[in-house]
Amino acid sequence: MSPMFVPGPVDVSEEVLQAQTQAMIPHRTPEFEEIFRNADINARPLFGTKDNRVFITASSGTGMHEATVRNLVSGKMLSCVNGAFSNRWHQVAETNGKQPDILELDWQQPVTAEVVADKIKGQQYDIITIVHNETSTGLLNPVGEVAAAVREVAPDTLICVDAVSSLSGAPVKMDEWGVDVILTSSQKCLALPPGLSLCAVSERAMAKAADVPQRGWYFDFLRMEKHRTTNSTPATPAMSLVFALAKQLERIAQEGLENRFARHAAMAERTQKWALARGFGLYAPEGYRSPTVSTVENTLDIDLKALGNFLLERDMRIASGYGALKGRTFRIGHMGELTVDDVDVLLAAIDQFVEETK
C-alpha cells in the first residue's frame, strides 16, 4: 500500500502495529508498570525536557486541551487563535465555564511575541494557550519567542502549548522555552494509531493545579501524578497503544531526533518548492511554514475532488482544506514514517493529474 499524505492519522509501521498484538497482562503488575515508566522517561526528549513528567492517557489531544483548562484555570485565561485548532482550544475553555479572552489573528498571520506582550500587559491570566503548529493552515508559530515575552511581561502566567502536529517532527524545547504544558496526539508525527495523548507538565503547573477546585476526575493532573509516581494510571490504560508507543519510542531513538527533524524539514522543502514552482500558493507566510504539513492554495483552480479521486485510484491520499479553507486549499501531510522519496511519488502523480486535466 502506498503511503498517506494527510496530517493524521498517518501510516504506522508494521513493527509498531505488531506491538499492539502482545498478550494482555494485568495493568497493575510490575511487568506493565516497567513498560509504562519507560514510556514516560523515553518520551521526555521529544518534549525537550529532562525532568518534567509526561502524562499518557487514552484520548485525543483535545482531551488534553480540556485537561489544561480544568486543571490550571480558576480566573482568566488568554487563547491565541490563528487557526482552527487554536480556536478549538478556546471553545473547549468556553464550554468548561472558564473566562477565555481571545487574541484573534488572521489565519495567515503568526502569533508573535510583540502582539502577545501587548495583549497580556497589565492583565492577570492564569494561562495562555498557543498552538505550535497549526494543522489547518500549515503555519508554525514562534513559540519560543512568545514564551520569552510572556515570562518577561507576566511571569506568573503559565504557558500552554499544543504540539499535536509538530512533536517529533520539529524541535520542541520545553525546558529551554520555559513552557509549562506541552500536549500532543499519537496519530500524527509520532506515527502511532489514534487514541493516545501525551502531555508534559511542569512543576509550577502542578503547584497551580493543587489550588484549582473542580478539576474533574479523569483528567485531574494531581490524580494522574499520584498514579504516575507508581508507574500506573488512575483508570485502565489503553494497553495495546502503550505497547505500540514503547516500540515507537525505541524506533525514534534509533533514528535520532535530529535526523528525524532533518527528514521532516527535507520533505517540507521539497513539497513547498514544488508548489511554488508549479504556480500554486502556500497559505502560510514565508518564515513560518510548517515542517510537517503544507497547506497549498489552489491558485490553479484545479478540481480538488477529482484530484482526490485520481490519487485514491493510485492508493494515495491528501487532505482537503480545513474549516474555512475548504475548497480554497489542499493539505499535504509530510510526517511520521514518510520520506522524500515518498513525497516525490505523490508530487509526480499530482503533476500528471494537472497535465491530463489542462
Side-chain angles (χ1 to χ4, degrees), residues 145-253:
E145 297 171 13
V146 171
V150 174
R151 298 290 285 225
E152 181 176 348
V153 177
D156 293 332
T157 297
L158 301 178
I159 304 159
C160 304
V161 177
D162 170 329
V164 165
S165 61
S166 59
L167 192 122
S168 90
V172 173
K173 303 177 180 181
M174 184 177 193
D175 293 349
E176 181 179 324
W177 294 343
V179 169
D180 296 287
V181 170
I182 299 182
L183 62 91
T184 197
S185 292
S186 57
Q187 77 278 10
K188 296 187 184 289
C189 297
L190 284 174
L192 288 162
L196 285 183
S197 59
L198 289 77
C199 185
V201 181
S202 73
E203 289 295 337
R204 72 174 193 152
M206 294 301 298
K208 172 64 176 177
D211 291 332
V212 175
Q214 297 179 322
R215 297 183 300 271
W217 197 97
Y218 190 77
F219 289 122
D220 179 2
F221 283 171
L222 271 64
R223 180 173 282 105
M224 289 184 193
E225 178 69 353
K226 177 182 176 181
H227 286 268
R228 186 197 65 83
T229 55
T230 58
N231 305 316
S232 187
T233 54
T236 306
M239 295 178 65
S240 296
L241 293 175
V242 174
F243 295 151
L245 170 63
K247 174 55 68 176
Q248 182 66 337
L249 290 173
E250 289 178 13
R251 297 176 76 254
I252 290 172

Side-chain angles (χ1 to χ4, degrees), residues 84-350:
F85 293 98
S86 49
N87 187 55
R88 178 183 293 182
W89 206 348
H90 179 70
Q91 292 172 335
V92 167
E94 288 181 321
T95 56
N96 275 276
K98 305 303 179 180
Q99 303 174 42
D101 286 354
I102 186 169
L103 172 59
E104 191 160 17
L105 301 169
D106 184 275
W107 283 19
Q108 289 183 285
Q109 296 299 312
V111 178
T112 63
E114 293 77 15
V115 296
V116 172
D118 286 344
K119 182 71 176 181
I120 66 177
K121 200 171 296 180
Q123 300 289 333
Q124 290 186 326
Y125 292 121
D126 288 338
I127 71 170
I128 176 175
T129 65
I130 182 172
V131 169
H132 184 214
N133 191 74
E134 251 297 346
T135 317
S136 61
T137 63
L139 189 152
L140 190 77
N141 284 309
V143 166
E145 297 171 13
V146 171
V150 174
R151 298 290 285 225
E152 181 176 348
V153 177
D156 293 332
T157 297
L158 301 178
I159 304 159
C160 304
V161 177
D162 170 329
V164 165
S165 61
S166 59
L167 192 122
S168 90
V172 173
K173 303 177 180 181
M174 184 177 193
D175 293 349
E176 181 179 324
W177 294 343
V179 169
D180 296 287
V181 170
I182 299 182
L183 62 91
T184 197
S185 292
S186 57
Q187 77 278 10
K188 296 187 184 289
C189 297
L190 284 174
L192 288 162
L196 285 183
S197 59
L198 289 77
C199 185
V201 181
S202 73
E203 289 295 337
R204 72 174 193 152
M206 294 301 298
K208 172 64 176 177
D211 291 332
V212 175
Q214 297 179 322
R215 297 183 300 271
W217 197 97
Y218 190 77
F219 289 122
D220 179 2
F221 283 171
L222 271 64
R223 180 173 282 105
M224 289 184 193
E225 178 69 353
K226 177 182 176 181
H227 286 268
R228 186 197 65 83
T229 55
T230 58
N231 305 316
S232 187
T233 54
T236 306
M239 295 178 65
S240 296
L241 293 175
V242 174
F243 295 151
L245 170 63
K247 174 55 68 176
Q248 182 66 337
L249 290 173
E250 289 178 13
R251 297 176 76 254
I252 290 172
Q254 288 168 2
E255 179 179 11
L257 269 180
E258 293 304 319
N259 292 333
R260 193 173 182 85
F261 298 153
R263 176 167 58 82
H264 281 77
M267 291 190 291
E269 182 179 19
R270 183 68 57 87
T271 302
Q272 292 161 13
K273 283 185 174 179
W274 165 87
L276 295 174
R278 297 301 186 272
F280 291 109
L282 291 169
Y283 189 78
E286 188 174 1
Y288 298 96
R289 289 171 184 155
S290 167
T292 65
V293 55
S294 295
T295 298
V296 181
E297 293 183 298
N298 186 21
T299 49
L300 300 184
D301 199 28
I302 62 174
D303 185 332
L304 295 181
K305 184 176 180 179
L307 171 62
N309 291 334
F310 179 88
L311 294 174
L312 196 56
E313 290 170 359
R314 288 150 182 80
D315 211 15
M316 291 182 279
R317 296 175 188 266
I318 59 173
S320 60
Y322 195 92
L325 302 182
K326 191 173 181 65
R328 297 169 47 198
T329 64
F330 59 94
R331 293 176 297 156
I332 298 175
H334 29 79
M335 62 175 70
E337 304 292 344
L338 295 173
T339 67
V340 170
D341 288 344
D342 295 324
V343 170
D344 283 341
V345 172
L346 171 73
L347 301 182
I350 299 176

